Amino acid sequence: MTSSGPIGAGSPIRLQPAVPGGRGRVTLQIIADRLAVSTATVSLALRGSPLVAEATRSRVQQMAREMGYSYNRSAASLRTDRTNILGVGFHDITNPYFAELLAAIEETTTANGRSILLGTYGEDLARQDRVLNTLKEYRPDGMILCAAGGSTPETFAHLIAAGVPIVQLSRSIRDDLDFVGSNDRHGTILAMEHLIGLGHRRIAFICENQRISTGRNRYLGYCEVLTRYGIPVDPSLVYAGHGTRENGSKGIQTVLDAADPPTAAVCMNDLSAFGAMLGLRHRGREAGIDFSIVGCDDVQEAAQWYPALTTIRNFQDEMGRKSAKFLISRIAAPDAPPRRLLLTPALVIRGTTTPPRS
């Protein structure tokens, strides 16, 4: 007669003598022999299966801890053709925007029984290629990638050829791959409309960057609004560079030296906006009093500055969660048509914008 109840319910576990032989790798069979149960019972217990009686699960898990058992992920992946690892490649993790994206990705992947393997490469194309090849060697089930500046459609070709499912996050370089990002052009339009509504006409753009899709789209929105209001684009008010604090500080001081200086600035991201605020202070000016600044991203730090930063909220928590869900769906359905999700940004008005001083 067979029982449909949990394995081990109501029966004692018989301990066996220790297996001699030093510090060899602990296997399911060794644990099973120690406890006089089957390897199937040990495997189910270590996975927390309700098919195993609670008392048995507890003893198996305790024995595994005491013996230093380590799950052999490589062997498991060979059996299932799945590693339950998702690769994440970012150009920058020091920017709080990407740290917030990563936190949202990890929260979602963990809830779905996956782990992440992170690689970073700055804005360096050669380093990016090395990092992506290394990630690929770990056989992740898929990758979430934010490409380095200057990447082309060929950048991910070797991953596609290897059959690695990919979701592009924030920056897009291929239309035939899944993408999750923000409507960056619309975000800058919101920022510009806000400044023009306050009365500004001399508006700078700090950290213009044509090497990334976010930079191109944000600058496009800037030019579009100027044209709509009949305001010429003045190259002396555009400072090119990566969106860093240092470039934000350099950029604001450069445009202030123009023959006809600006009264406001839109910054590529919050990081460059923070730098611009510091650059203003070097000139004895203050954002929100003598000059207006709008950032982009709305990282947590933006609300903590004094004055708090007016910025464009890109909902990176939602972007991170959606990218993870997109990838999990892509792994399950590799031949499905590519999906592109553009979240609609929102203007968050705080203390760094004000009408121009007369």
Side-chain angles (χ1 to χ4, degrees):
M1 180 181 294
T2 60
S3 171
S4 59
I7 298 171
S11 58
I13 295 178
R14 298 181 299 277
L15 295 178
Q16 300 295 322
V19 177
R23 293 177 56 84
R25 185 173 66 83
V26 179
T27 65
L28 295 181
Q29 187 64 59
I30 291 174
I31 297 174
D33 290 344
R34 283 284 190 98
L35 299 177
V37 297
S38 69
T39 55
T41 297
V42 173
S43 178
L44 289 169
L46 291 176
R47 285 181 282 156
S49 172
L51 295 175
V52 180
E54 183 176 353
T56 304
R57 283 203 309 271
S58 177
R59 293 186 183 185
V60 169
Q61 291 169 2
Q62 180 179 350
M63 179 62 70
R65 286 192 298 270
E66 291 175 354
M67 297 183 70
Y69 172 77
S70 178
Y71 178 63
N72 190 336
R73 188 177 295 275
S74 297
S77 68
L78 290 174
R79 292 193 301 270
T80 64
D81 199 31
R82 286 282 185 267
T83 62
N84 287 327
I85 294 174
L86 304 181
V88 176
F90 279 177
H91 71 287
D92 185 8
I93 202 60
T94 62
N95 185 335
Y97 171 74
F98 292 98
E100 291 172 18
L101 282 174
L102 181 61
I105 291 170
E106 186 171 28
E107 178 186 354
T108 305
T109 55
T110 299
N112 285 273
R114 270 82 167 185
S115 301
I116 64 171
L117 187 62
L118 175 66
T120 61
Y121 30 76
E123 300 284 10
D124 186 324
L125 293 175
R127 181 178 168 192
Q128 175 178 251
D129 195 52
R130 292 194 299 271
V131 168
L132 295 184
N133 273 303
T134 300
L135 287 175
K136 184 174 65 176
E137 290 171 1
Y138 282 89
R139 300 180 62 246
D141 296 335
M143 293 189 191
I144 298 172
L145 301 175
C146 184
S151 295
T152 69
E154 290 303 309
T155 298
F156 296 159
H158 66 105
L159 300 176
I160 296 169
V164 179
I166 295 171
V167 173
Q168 303 168 103
L169 178 60
S170 186
R171 300 177 177 182
S172 175
I173 63 171
R174 296 184 67 119
D175 292 336
D176 59 341
L177 297 177
D178 295 327
F179 172 70
V180 178
S182 178
N183 189 334
D184 294 301
R185 171 179 154 273
H186 179 67
T188 308
I189 289 173
L190 292 176
M192 291 292 291
E193 291 281 3
H194 171 59
L195 292 172
I196 288 176
L198 289 172
H200 296 279
R201 293 299 181 270
R202 299 288 293 168
I203 304 171
F205 192 96
I206 306 298
C207 293
E208 177 262 346
N209 189 348
Q210 293 293 317
R211 289 169 57 82
I212 55 178
S213 62
T214 48
R216 291 190 297 271
N217 290 327
R218 289 174 191 178
Y219 185 65
L220 182 64
Y222 168 79
C223 295
E224 181 178 321
V225 174
L226 290 178
T227 301
R228 185 187 308 160
Y229 284 89
I231 304 170
V233 177
D234 185 345
S236 70
L237 301 188
V238 178
Y239 182 85
H242 295 304
T244 64
R245 293 175 197 259
E246 181 181 10
N247 282 336
S249 179
K250 289 179 179 178
I252 198 69
Q253 295 185 71
T254 298
V255 299
L256 287 174
D257 288 335
D260 186 5
T263 61
V266 170
C267 297
M268 170 63 193
N269 56 17
D270 286 348
L271 219 57
S272 56
F274 300 149
M277 292 170 71
L278 294 174
L280 281 175
R281 287 171 184 164
H282 283 299
R283 293 296 189 93
R285 302 189 186 187
E286 190 69 27
I289 299 175
D290 311 295
F291 196 92
S292 288
I293 289 181
V294 181
C296 186
D297 291 335
D298 195 27
V299 298
Q300 293 180 7
E301 187 181 347
Q304 298 164 3
W305 271 68
Y306 184 80
L309 179 65
T310 295
T311 188
I312 299 299
R313 178 173 295 162
N314 280 330
F315 301 101
Q316 48 266 32
D317 287 351
E318 184 66 10
M319 286 172 60
R321 286 192 292 269
K322 288 291 187 182
S323 68
K325 291 178 180 178
F326 267 37
L327 184 55
I328 291 169
S329 297
R330 174 58 55 193
I331 293 166
D335 297 324
R339 294 190 291 171
R340 296 181 70 83
L341 175 63
L342 282 183
L343 299 178
T344 302
L347 175 68
V348 181
I349 300 174
R350 297 194 179 103
T352 56
T353 49
T354 187
R357 301 187 76 170
S358 55

